[in-house]
Short mmCIF file of all heavy atoms in Angstrom, two decimals:
data_model
loop_
_atom_site.label_atom_id
_atom_site.label_comp_id
_atom_site.label_asym_id
_atom_site.label_seq_id
_atom_site.Cartn_x
_atom_site.Cartn_y
_atom_site.Cartn_z
N MET A 6 -15.89 -12.56 20.83
CA MET A 6 -14.79 -11.73 21.28
C MET A 6 -13.67 -12.65 21.76
O MET A 6 -13.90 -13.58 22.51
CB MET A 6 -15.27 -10.80 22.38
CG MET A 6 -14.24 -9.85 22.85
SD MET A 6 -14.81 -8.43 23.82
CE MET A 6 -16.08 -9.06 24.85
N GLU A 7 -12.47 -12.38 21.31
CA GLU A 7 -11.30 -13.18 21.66
C GLU A 7 -10.36 -12.33 22.52
O GLU A 7 -10.15 -11.16 22.25
CB GLU A 7 -10.58 -13.62 20.38
CG GLU A 7 -9.30 -14.37 20.60
CD GLU A 7 -9.48 -15.76 21.17
OE1 GLU A 7 -10.58 -16.31 21.08
OE2 GLU A 7 -8.51 -16.28 21.71
N ALA A 8 -9.81 -12.94 23.56
CA ALA A 8 -8.86 -12.24 24.43
C ALA A 8 -7.59 -13.05 24.54
O ALA A 8 -7.60 -14.27 24.49
CB ALA A 8 -9.47 -12.02 25.81
N SER A 9 -6.48 -12.34 24.70
CA SER A 9 -5.18 -13.00 24.83
C SER A 9 -4.29 -12.15 25.73
O SER A 9 -4.28 -10.92 25.62
CB SER A 9 -4.54 -13.17 23.46
OG SER A 9 -3.31 -13.83 23.57
N PHE A 10 -3.56 -12.80 26.63
CA PHE A 10 -2.56 -12.13 27.46
C PHE A 10 -1.21 -12.24 26.77
O PHE A 10 -0.92 -13.25 26.13
CB PHE A 10 -2.44 -12.81 28.82
CG PHE A 10 -3.56 -12.49 29.76
CD1 PHE A 10 -4.72 -13.24 29.75
CD2 PHE A 10 -3.46 -11.44 30.66
CE1 PHE A 10 -5.76 -12.96 30.62
CE2 PHE A 10 -4.48 -11.14 31.54
CZ PHE A 10 -5.64 -11.91 31.51
N THR A 11 -0.38 -11.22 26.93
CA THR A 11 1.00 -11.38 26.51
C THR A 11 1.64 -12.38 27.47
O THR A 11 1.18 -12.53 28.60
CB THR A 11 1.76 -10.03 26.53
OG1 THR A 11 1.68 -9.46 27.83
CG2 THR A 11 1.19 -9.07 25.50
N PRO A 12 2.69 -13.08 27.06
CA PRO A 12 3.28 -14.11 27.93
C PRO A 12 3.72 -13.61 29.30
O PRO A 12 3.70 -14.36 30.27
CB PRO A 12 4.48 -14.61 27.12
CG PRO A 12 4.07 -14.39 25.71
CD PRO A 12 3.29 -13.09 25.73
N ASP A 13 4.09 -12.34 29.42
CA ASP A 13 4.48 -11.80 30.72
C ASP A 13 3.28 -11.24 31.49
O ASP A 13 3.45 -10.67 32.56
CB ASP A 13 5.56 -10.73 30.56
CG ASP A 13 5.10 -9.53 29.74
OD1 ASP A 13 3.92 -9.49 29.30
OD2 ASP A 13 5.93 -8.64 29.52
N SER A 14 2.09 -11.38 30.94
CA SER A 14 0.83 -10.91 31.54
C SER A 14 0.80 -9.40 31.74
O SER A 14 0.00 -8.89 32.49
CB SER A 14 0.53 -11.62 32.86
OG SER A 14 0.37 -12.98 32.63
N GLN A 15 1.68 -8.67 31.04
CA GLN A 15 1.71 -7.23 31.18
C GLN A 15 0.56 -6.57 30.41
O GLN A 15 0.07 -5.52 30.81
CB GLN A 15 3.04 -6.68 30.69
CG GLN A 15 3.22 -5.21 30.97
CD GLN A 15 4.62 -4.72 30.63
OE1 GLN A 15 5.47 -5.48 30.17
NE2 GLN A 15 4.86 -3.46 30.84
N PHE A 16 0.12 -7.18 29.31
CA PHE A 16 -0.94 -6.60 28.50
C PHE A 16 -2.00 -7.65 28.18
O PHE A 16 -1.71 -8.84 28.07
CB PHE A 16 -0.39 -6.04 27.18
CG PHE A 16 0.57 -4.91 27.38
CD1 PHE A 16 1.93 -5.14 27.33
CD2 PHE A 16 0.11 -3.64 27.64
CE1 PHE A 16 2.83 -4.10 27.53
CE2 PHE A 16 1.00 -2.59 27.85
CZ PHE A 16 2.36 -2.83 27.79
N ILE A 17 -3.23 -7.16 28.01
CA ILE A 17 -4.36 -7.99 27.59
C ILE A 17 -4.84 -7.42 26.27
O ILE A 17 -5.06 -6.21 26.14
CB ILE A 17 -5.51 -7.92 28.62
CG1 ILE A 17 -5.01 -8.33 29.99
CG2 ILE A 17 -6.68 -8.77 28.16
CD1 ILE A 17 -5.97 -7.93 31.10
N MET A 18 -4.97 -8.28 25.26
CA MET A 18 -5.49 -7.85 23.97
C MET A 18 -6.86 -8.48 23.78
O MET A 18 -7.04 -9.67 23.99
CB MET A 18 -4.55 -8.27 22.86
CG MET A 18 -3.19 -7.65 22.98
SD MET A 18 -2.11 -7.97 21.58
CE MET A 18 -2.08 -9.74 21.55
N ILE A 19 -7.82 -7.64 23.38
CA ILE A 19 -9.18 -8.12 23.19
C ILE A 19 -9.61 -7.80 21.77
O ILE A 19 -9.61 -6.63 21.37
CB ILE A 19 -10.15 -7.48 24.21
CG1 ILE A 19 -9.70 -7.82 25.63
CG2 ILE A 19 -11.57 -7.93 23.94
CD1 ILE A 19 -10.45 -7.09 26.70
N GLY A 20 -9.94 -8.83 21.00
CA GLY A 20 -10.47 -8.65 19.66
C GLY A 20 -11.98 -8.54 19.72
O GLY A 20 -12.64 -9.31 20.41
N THR A 21 -12.54 -7.56 19.03
CA THR A 21 -13.97 -7.29 19.13
C THR A 21 -14.73 -7.69 17.87
O THR A 21 -14.13 -8.03 16.85
CB THR A 21 -14.20 -5.79 19.42
OG1 THR A 21 -13.65 -5.03 18.35
CG2 THR A 21 -13.57 -5.38 20.73
N GLU A 22 -16.04 -7.61 17.95
CA GLU A 22 -16.92 -7.96 16.84
C GLU A 22 -16.72 -7.06 15.63
O GLU A 22 -16.98 -7.47 14.51
CB GLU A 22 -18.39 -7.88 17.29
CG GLU A 22 -18.76 -8.86 18.38
CD GLU A 22 -18.82 -10.29 17.88
OE1 GLU A 22 -19.25 -10.50 16.73
OE2 GLU A 22 -18.44 -11.19 18.63
N ASP A 23 -16.25 -5.83 15.85
CA ASP A 23 -16.09 -4.90 14.73
C ASP A 23 -14.69 -4.97 14.11
O ASP A 23 -14.31 -4.12 13.31
CB ASP A 23 -16.41 -3.47 15.16
CG ASP A 23 -15.50 -2.95 16.27
OD1 ASP A 23 -14.63 -3.70 16.74
OD2 ASP A 23 -15.67 -1.78 16.66
N GLY A 24 -13.89 -5.99 14.46
CA GLY A 24 -12.59 -6.21 13.85
C GLY A 24 -11.46 -5.37 14.40
O GLY A 24 -10.40 -5.27 13.80
N LYS A 25 -11.65 -4.76 15.55
CA LYS A 25 -10.59 -3.96 16.17
C LYS A 25 -9.99 -4.71 17.36
O LYS A 25 -10.61 -5.61 17.91
CB LYS A 25 -11.16 -2.62 16.64
CG LYS A 25 -11.58 -1.73 15.47
CD LYS A 25 -12.05 -0.40 15.97
CE LYS A 25 -12.28 0.57 14.84
NZ LYS A 25 -13.38 0.27 13.97
N ILE A 26 -8.77 -4.33 17.73
CA ILE A 26 -8.08 -4.94 18.86
C ILE A 26 -7.82 -3.85 19.90
O ILE A 26 -7.23 -2.82 19.60
CB ILE A 26 -6.76 -5.58 18.43
CG1 ILE A 26 -7.03 -6.68 17.41
CG2 ILE A 26 -6.01 -6.14 19.63
CD1 ILE A 26 -5.80 -7.19 16.73
N HIS A 27 -8.29 -4.08 21.11
CA HIS A 27 -8.09 -3.14 22.21
C HIS A 27 -7.00 -3.73 23.12
O HIS A 27 -7.07 -4.92 23.47
CB HIS A 27 -9.39 -2.94 22.99
CG HIS A 27 -10.48 -2.39 22.12
ND1 HIS A 27 -10.73 -1.05 22.03
CD2 HIS A 27 -11.37 -3.00 21.30
CE1 HIS A 27 -11.73 -0.85 21.19
NE2 HIS A 27 -12.14 -2.02 20.73
N VAL A 28 -6.03 -2.92 23.47
CA VAL A 28 -4.91 -3.37 24.30
C VAL A 28 -5.00 -2.66 25.65
O VAL A 28 -5.08 -1.43 25.72
CB VAL A 28 -3.55 -3.06 23.63
CG1 VAL A 28 -2.40 -3.58 24.48
CG2 VAL A 28 -3.50 -3.66 22.23
N TRP A 29 -4.99 -3.44 26.72
CA TRP A 29 -5.12 -2.94 28.08
C TRP A 29 -3.89 -3.31 28.89
O TRP A 29 -3.32 -4.39 28.71
CB TRP A 29 -6.34 -3.56 28.76
CG TRP A 29 -7.62 -3.23 28.08
CD1 TRP A 29 -8.12 -3.84 26.97
CD2 TRP A 29 -8.55 -2.21 28.42
NE1 TRP A 29 -9.32 -3.26 26.61
CE2 TRP A 29 -9.60 -2.26 27.49
CE3 TRP A 29 -8.60 -1.26 29.43
CZ2 TRP A 29 -10.68 -1.40 27.54
CZ3 TRP A 29 -9.67 -0.41 29.48
CH2 TRP A 29 -10.70 -0.47 28.55
N ASN A 30 -3.48 -2.44 29.80
CA ASN A 30 -2.41 -2.73 30.73
C ASN A 30 -2.95 -3.73 31.74
O ASN A 30 -3.97 -3.48 32.39
CB ASN A 30 -1.95 -1.44 31.43
CG ASN A 30 -0.81 -1.67 32.38
OD1 ASN A 30 -0.89 -2.51 33.28
ND2 ASN A 30 0.25 -0.93 32.19
N GLY A 31 -2.30 -4.88 31.87
CA GLY A 31 -2.78 -5.94 32.74
C GLY A 31 -2.70 -5.63 34.23
O GLY A 31 -3.42 -6.20 35.03
N GLU A 32 -1.81 -4.72 34.61
CA GLU A 32 -1.65 -4.40 36.03
C GLU A 32 -2.61 -3.31 36.50
O GLU A 32 -3.17 -3.39 37.57
CB GLU A 32 -0.21 -3.98 36.30
CG GLU A 32 0.78 -5.10 36.11
CD GLU A 32 2.22 -4.64 36.30
OE1 GLU A 32 2.43 -3.45 36.59
OE2 GLU A 32 3.12 -5.47 36.15
N SER A 33 -2.78 -2.28 35.66
CA SER A 33 -3.59 -1.13 36.10
C SER A 33 -4.96 -1.07 35.43
O SER A 33 -5.79 -0.25 35.83
CB SER A 33 -2.83 0.17 35.83
OG SER A 33 -2.59 0.32 34.45
N GLY A 34 -5.18 -1.89 34.39
CA GLY A 34 -6.48 -1.88 33.72
C GLY A 34 -6.71 -0.66 32.84
O GLY A 34 -7.83 -0.37 32.47
N ILE A 35 -5.64 0.03 32.47
CA ILE A 35 -5.76 1.22 31.63
C ILE A 35 -5.63 0.81 30.16
O ILE A 35 -4.74 0.06 29.79
CB ILE A 35 -4.66 2.26 31.98
CG1 ILE A 35 -4.85 2.74 33.41
CG2 ILE A 35 -4.66 3.42 31.00
CD1 ILE A 35 -3.71 3.60 33.91
N LYS A 36 -6.53 1.34 29.33
CA LYS A 36 -6.47 1.07 27.90
C LYS A 36 -5.29 1.84 27.31
O LYS A 36 -5.18 3.05 27.50
CB LYS A 36 -7.77 1.50 27.23
CG LYS A 36 -7.88 1.11 25.79
CD LYS A 36 -9.27 1.48 25.30
CE LYS A 36 -9.50 1.05 23.90
NZ LYS A 36 -10.87 1.38 23.47
N VAL A 37 -4.38 1.13 26.61
CA VAL A 37 -3.18 1.78 26.09
C VAL A 37 -3.19 1.92 24.57
O VAL A 37 -2.42 2.69 24.02
CB VAL A 37 -1.90 1.05 26.56
CG1 VAL A 37 -1.73 1.17 28.05
CG2 VAL A 37 -1.89 -0.40 26.12
N ALA A 38 -4.04 1.16 23.87
CA ALA A 38 -4.07 1.25 22.41
C ALA A 38 -5.34 0.64 21.85
O ALA A 38 -5.98 -0.21 22.49
CB ALA A 38 -2.86 0.54 21.81
N MET A 39 -5.70 1.10 20.66
CA MET A 39 -6.77 0.49 19.89
C MET A 39 -6.23 0.33 18.47
O MET A 39 -5.80 1.30 17.86
CB MET A 39 -8.03 1.37 19.89
CG MET A 39 -9.28 0.67 19.40
SD MET A 39 -9.49 0.56 17.63
CE MET A 39 -9.56 2.25 17.15
N LEU A 40 -6.17 -0.90 18.00
CA LEU A 40 -5.60 -1.20 16.69
C LEU A 40 -6.71 -1.61 15.74
O LEU A 40 -7.58 -2.40 16.09
CB LEU A 40 -4.58 -2.34 16.82
CG LEU A 40 -3.51 -2.13 17.88
CD1 LEU A 40 -2.72 -3.42 18.09
CD2 LEU A 40 -2.59 -1.01 17.50
N ASP A 41 -6.67 -1.09 14.52
CA ASP A 41 -7.67 -1.44 13.53
C ASP A 41 -7.02 -2.33 12.48
O ASP A 41 -6.26 -1.86 11.64
CB ASP A 41 -8.24 -0.18 12.89
CG ASP A 41 -9.42 -0.48 11.98
OD1 ASP A 41 -9.76 -1.66 11.78
OD2 ASP A 41 -10.01 0.48 11.47
N GLY A 42 -7.34 -3.62 12.53
CA GLY A 42 -6.79 -4.57 11.57
C GLY A 42 -7.59 -4.68 10.30
O GLY A 42 -7.28 -5.45 9.43
N LYS A 43 -8.67 -3.88 10.20
CA LYS A 43 -9.55 -3.90 9.03
C LYS A 43 -10.05 -5.31 8.75
O LYS A 43 -10.16 -5.74 7.61
CB LYS A 43 -8.83 -3.32 7.81
CG LYS A 43 -8.19 -1.97 8.07
CD LYS A 43 -8.83 -0.91 7.24
CE LYS A 43 -8.08 0.39 7.36
NZ LYS A 43 -8.56 1.27 8.33
N HIS A 44 -10.35 -6.03 9.82
CA HIS A 44 -10.90 -7.37 9.66
C HIS A 44 -12.33 -7.28 9.13
O HIS A 44 -13.06 -6.34 9.45
CB HIS A 44 -10.89 -8.13 11.00
CG HIS A 44 -9.54 -8.63 11.38
ND1 HIS A 44 -8.94 -9.70 10.75
CD2 HIS A 44 -8.65 -8.22 12.31
CE1 HIS A 44 -7.76 -9.93 11.29
NE2 HIS A 44 -7.56 -9.03 12.24
N THR A 45 -12.72 -8.26 8.33
CA THR A 45 -14.05 -8.26 7.73
C THR A 45 -15.11 -8.84 8.64
O THR A 45 -16.29 -8.72 8.35
CB THR A 45 -14.03 -9.05 6.41
OG1 THR A 45 -13.56 -10.38 6.67
CG2 THR A 45 -13.11 -8.38 5.40
N GLY A 46 -14.70 -9.47 9.71
CA GLY A 46 -15.64 -10.06 10.65
C GLY A 46 -15.08 -10.04 12.05
O GLY A 46 -14.02 -9.46 12.30
N PRO A 47 -15.77 -10.68 13.00
CA PRO A 47 -15.29 -10.72 14.38
C PRO A 47 -13.95 -11.44 14.47
O PRO A 47 -13.73 -12.46 13.81
CB PRO A 47 -16.36 -11.51 15.12
CG PRO A 47 -17.55 -11.52 14.23
CD PRO A 47 -17.06 -11.35 12.84
N ILE A 48 -13.06 -10.93 15.30
CA ILE A 48 -11.76 -11.57 15.52
C ILE A 48 -11.98 -12.83 16.35
O ILE A 48 -12.59 -12.78 17.41
CB ILE A 48 -10.79 -10.60 16.20
CG1 ILE A 48 -10.50 -9.44 15.27
CG2 ILE A 48 -9.50 -11.30 16.60
CD1 ILE A 48 -9.71 -8.32 15.88
N THR A 49 -11.49 -13.94 15.84
CA THR A 49 -11.70 -15.22 16.52
C THR A 49 -10.43 -15.78 17.13
O THR A 49 -10.48 -16.74 17.88
CB THR A 49 -12.28 -16.26 15.54
OG1 THR A 49 -11.39 -16.38 14.43
CG2 THR A 49 -13.65 -15.84 15.05
N CYS A 50 -9.26 -15.17 16.82
CA CYS A 50 -8.01 -15.68 17.37
C CYS A 50 -6.97 -14.57 17.45
O CYS A 50 -6.81 -13.78 16.53
CB CYS A 50 -7.49 -16.81 16.47
SG CYS A 50 -6.03 -17.63 17.13
N LEU A 51 -6.26 -14.52 18.58
CA LEU A 51 -5.13 -13.61 18.80
C LEU A 51 -3.99 -14.43 19.38
O LEU A 51 -4.18 -15.15 20.35
CB LEU A 51 -5.48 -12.52 19.80
CG LEU A 51 -6.37 -11.39 19.38
CD1 LEU A 51 -6.78 -10.57 20.60
CD2 LEU A 51 -5.68 -10.51 18.38
N GLN A 52 -2.80 -14.34 18.81
CA GLN A 52 -1.64 -15.05 19.33
C GLN A 52 -0.44 -14.11 19.36
O GLN A 52 -0.21 -13.35 18.42
CB GLN A 52 -1.31 -16.26 18.47
CG GLN A 52 -2.35 -17.36 18.53
CD GLN A 52 -2.42 -17.98 19.90
OE1 GLN A 52 -1.42 -18.33 20.50
NE2 GLN A 52 -3.64 -18.10 20.42
N VAL A 53 0.34 -14.18 20.43
CA VAL A 53 1.49 -13.31 20.64
C VAL A 53 2.78 -14.12 20.52
O VAL A 53 2.87 -15.23 21.01
CB VAL A 53 1.44 -12.66 22.05
CG1 VAL A 53 2.67 -11.82 22.30
CG2 VAL A 53 0.18 -11.84 22.20
N ASN A 54 3.80 -13.53 19.87
CA ASN A 54 5.13 -14.12 19.81
C ASN A 54 6.09 -13.11 20.45
O ASN A 54 6.54 -12.17 19.80
CB ASN A 54 5.55 -14.41 18.38
CG ASN A 54 6.90 -15.10 18.32
OD1 ASN A 54 7.74 -14.93 19.19
ND2 ASN A 54 7.11 -15.87 17.28
N PRO A 55 6.40 -13.28 21.75
CA PRO A 55 7.23 -12.28 22.44
C PRO A 55 8.67 -12.25 21.96
O PRO A 55 9.32 -11.21 22.05
CB PRO A 55 7.15 -12.72 23.90
CG PRO A 55 6.88 -14.18 23.84
CD PRO A 55 6.02 -14.38 22.61
N LYS A 56 9.17 -13.35 21.43
CA LYS A 56 10.56 -13.38 20.98
C LYS A 56 10.80 -12.38 19.85
O LYS A 56 11.82 -11.72 19.79
CB LYS A 56 10.92 -14.80 20.51
CG LYS A 56 12.35 -14.93 20.06
CD LYS A 56 12.69 -16.35 19.72
CE LYS A 56 14.13 -16.47 19.27
NZ LYS A 56 14.47 -17.85 18.92
N PHE A 57 9.83 -12.25 18.96
CA PHE A 57 9.97 -11.35 17.83
C PHE A 57 9.10 -10.10 17.95
O PHE A 57 8.98 -9.33 17.01
CB PHE A 57 9.65 -12.09 16.53
CG PHE A 57 10.61 -13.20 16.26
CD1 PHE A 57 10.23 -14.52 16.45
CD2 PHE A 57 11.90 -12.94 15.85
CE1 PHE A 57 11.11 -15.56 16.21
CE2 PHE A 57 12.80 -13.97 15.61
CZ PHE A 57 12.40 -15.28 15.79
N MET A 58 8.47 -9.90 19.12
CA MET A 58 7.62 -8.75 19.38
C MET A 58 6.55 -8.58 18.30
O MET A 58 6.34 -7.50 17.76
CB MET A 58 8.46 -7.47 19.51
CG MET A 58 9.40 -7.51 20.67
SD MET A 58 10.30 -5.97 21.04
CE MET A 58 10.54 -5.19 19.49
N THR A 59 5.87 -9.67 17.96
CA THR A 59 4.83 -9.65 16.95
C THR A 59 3.59 -10.35 17.48
O THR A 59 3.64 -11.05 18.49
CB THR A 59 5.27 -10.37 15.67
OG1 THR A 59 5.57 -11.73 15.99
CG2 THR A 59 6.49 -9.73 15.05
N PHE A 60 2.47 -10.16 16.80
CA PHE A 60 1.30 -10.97 17.08
C PHE A 60 0.46 -11.09 15.83
O PHE A 60 0.68 -10.39 14.84
CB PHE A 60 0.49 -10.44 18.28
CG PHE A 60 -0.24 -9.15 18.08
CD1 PHE A 60 -1.57 -9.16 17.68
CD2 PHE A 60 0.38 -7.95 18.32
CE1 PHE A 60 -2.25 -7.98 17.52
CE2 PHE A 60 -0.31 -6.77 18.18
CZ PHE A 60 -1.63 -6.78 17.77
N ALA A 61 -0.45 -12.02 15.84
CA ALA A 61 -1.33 -12.28 14.70
C ALA A 61 -2.77 -12.26 15.18
O ALA A 61 -3.08 -12.66 16.30
CB ALA A 61 -1.00 -13.63 14.08
N SER A 62 -3.66 -11.78 14.32
CA SER A 62 -5.08 -11.79 14.61
C SER A 62 -5.80 -12.36 13.39
O SER A 62 -5.33 -12.23 12.25
CB SER A 62 -5.58 -10.39 14.94
OG SER A 62 -5.32 -9.49 13.87
N ALA A 63 -6.94 -13.01 13.63
CA ALA A 63 -7.63 -13.64 12.52
C ALA A 63 -9.14 -13.61 12.69
O ALA A 63 -9.66 -13.68 13.80
CB ALA A 63 -7.17 -15.09 12.38
N CYS A 64 -9.82 -13.47 11.57
CA CYS A 64 -11.25 -13.72 11.45
C CYS A 64 -11.34 -14.67 10.26
O CYS A 64 -10.78 -15.75 10.33
CB CYS A 64 -12.04 -12.42 11.27
SG CYS A 64 -11.68 -11.52 9.77
N SER A 65 -11.95 -14.27 9.15
CA SER A 65 -11.88 -15.10 7.95
C SER A 65 -10.59 -14.82 7.18
O SER A 65 -10.21 -15.56 6.28
CB SER A 65 -13.09 -14.85 7.05
OG SER A 65 -13.13 -13.49 6.67
N ASN A 66 -9.90 -13.74 7.53
CA ASN A 66 -8.57 -13.44 7.01
C ASN A 66 -7.63 -13.23 8.19
O ASN A 66 -8.06 -13.11 9.32
CB ASN A 66 -8.59 -12.22 6.08
CG ASN A 66 -9.06 -10.96 6.78
OD1 ASN A 66 -9.78 -11.01 7.76
ND2 ASN A 66 -8.65 -9.82 6.28
N MET A 67 -6.31 -13.20 7.91
CA MET A 67 -5.32 -13.09 8.99
C MET A 67 -4.51 -11.82 8.82
O MET A 67 -4.22 -11.41 7.70
CB MET A 67 -4.40 -14.31 8.95
CG MET A 67 -3.34 -14.31 10.03
SD MET A 67 -2.36 -15.80 10.00
CE MET A 67 -3.18 -16.70 11.27
N ALA A 68 -4.16 -11.19 9.94
CA ALA A 68 -3.29 -10.02 9.94
C ALA A 68 -2.09 -10.30 10.83
O ALA A 68 -2.24 -10.81 11.93
CB ALA A 68 -4.05 -8.79 10.45
N PHE A 69 -0.90 -9.98 10.33
CA PHE A 69 0.32 -10.08 11.12
C PHE A 69 0.72 -8.67 11.53
O PHE A 69 0.76 -7.76 10.71
CB PHE A 69 1.45 -10.72 10.31
CG PHE A 69 1.23 -12.17 10.04
CD1 PHE A 69 0.72 -12.59 8.83
CD2 PHE A 69 1.52 -13.12 11.01
CE1 PHE A 69 0.51 -13.92 8.57
CE2 PHE A 69 1.31 -14.46 10.77
CZ PHE A 69 0.79 -14.86 9.55
N TRP A 70 1.02 -8.50 12.80
CA TRP A 70 1.35 -7.19 13.35
C TRP A 70 2.84 -7.15 13.65
O TRP A 70 3.36 -7.97 14.41
CB TRP A 70 0.55 -6.96 14.62
CG TRP A 70 -0.92 -6.99 14.38
CD1 TRP A 70 -1.72 -8.08 14.29
CD2 TRP A 70 -1.78 -5.88 14.17
NE1 TRP A 70 -3.01 -7.73 14.04
CE2 TRP A 70 -3.07 -6.38 13.98
CE3 TRP A 70 -1.58 -4.51 14.15
CZ2 TRP A 70 -4.17 -5.55 13.75
CZ3 TRP A 70 -2.66 -3.68 13.93
CH2 TRP A 70 -3.93 -4.21 13.73
N LEU A 71 3.53 -6.18 13.08
CA LEU A 71 4.97 -6.03 13.26
C LEU A 71 5.26 -4.71 13.97
O LEU A 71 4.60 -3.70 13.69
CB LEU A 71 5.69 -6.05 11.92
CG LEU A 71 5.42 -7.29 11.06
CD1 LEU A 71 6.02 -7.10 9.67
CD2 LEU A 71 5.98 -8.52 11.71
N PRO A 72 6.26 -4.67 14.84
CA PRO A 72 6.59 -3.41 15.52
C PRO A 72 7.26 -2.44 14.55
O PRO A 72 7.89 -2.85 13.58
CB PRO A 72 7.55 -3.85 16.62
CG PRO A 72 8.17 -5.08 16.10
CD PRO A 72 7.12 -5.76 15.25
N THR A 73 7.09 -1.16 14.82
CA THR A 73 7.80 -0.13 14.06
C THR A 73 8.69 0.63 15.03
O THR A 73 8.37 0.78 16.20
CB THR A 73 6.84 0.86 13.38
OG1 THR A 73 6.03 1.46 14.37
CG2 THR A 73 5.96 0.15 12.37
N ILE A 74 9.80 1.10 14.51
CA ILE A 74 10.73 1.86 15.33
C ILE A 74 10.79 3.27 14.75
O ILE A 74 11.14 3.48 13.59
CB ILE A 74 12.14 1.23 15.32
CG1 ILE A 74 12.05 -0.17 15.91
CG2 ILE A 74 13.12 2.10 16.08
CD1 ILE A 74 13.34 -0.96 15.78
N ASP A 75 10.38 4.23 15.57
CA ASP A 75 10.44 5.63 15.14
C ASP A 75 11.82 6.19 15.44
O ASP A 75 12.34 6.04 16.53
CB ASP A 75 9.39 6.46 15.88
CG ASP A 75 7.99 6.03 15.52
OD1 ASP A 75 7.77 5.54 14.39
OD2 ASP A 75 7.09 6.17 16.37
N ASP A 76 12.43 6.80 14.43
CA ASP A 76 13.77 7.38 14.63
C ASP A 76 13.68 8.76 15.22
O ASP A 76 12.80 9.49 15.08
CB ASP A 76 14.52 7.45 13.30
CG ASP A 76 14.87 6.04 12.80
OD1 ASP A 76 15.04 5.16 13.64
OD2 ASP A 76 14.97 5.88 11.57
#
């Protein structure tokens, strides 16, 4: 299991053995999202890029996560 804080420590992302990413609020400990990257194995790395509001997750393959803007 891999864990990563956002640079402002506002969120904690935890990659699990089943290839999903759980996002928790760092201040209140409330789960705010569960993302399914369809990874084929356990997530071994999570990295955040706050400048572009993106992050990457990896097992034997890599997923890039991009924000979406709902109109």
Side-chain angles (χ1 to χ4, degrees):
M6 184 164 39
E7 176 70 19
S9 181
F10 284 87
T11 57
D13 61 2
S14 297
Q15 188 173 0
F16 296 100
I17 304 164
M18 298 187 303
I19 300 172
T21 60
E22 296 288 324
D23 61 358
K25 293 183 172 68
I26 299 169
H27 300 267
V28 182
W29 299 81
N30 181 306
E32 294 176 1
S33 62
I35 297 172
K36 187 175 184 178
V37 294
M39 194 279 298
L40 308 170
D41 188 356
K43 310 245 187 266
H44 283 287
T45 57
I48 295 172
T49 57
C50 186
L51 285 170
Q52 292 294 312
V53 177
N54 183 332
K56 181 176 180 180
F57 296 105
M58 297 187 328
T59 60
F60 70 94
S62 58
C64 64
S65 60
N66 61 335
M67 181 176 262
F69 290 99
W70 300 82
L71 304 171
T73 58
I74 298 172
D75 295 331
D76 291 331

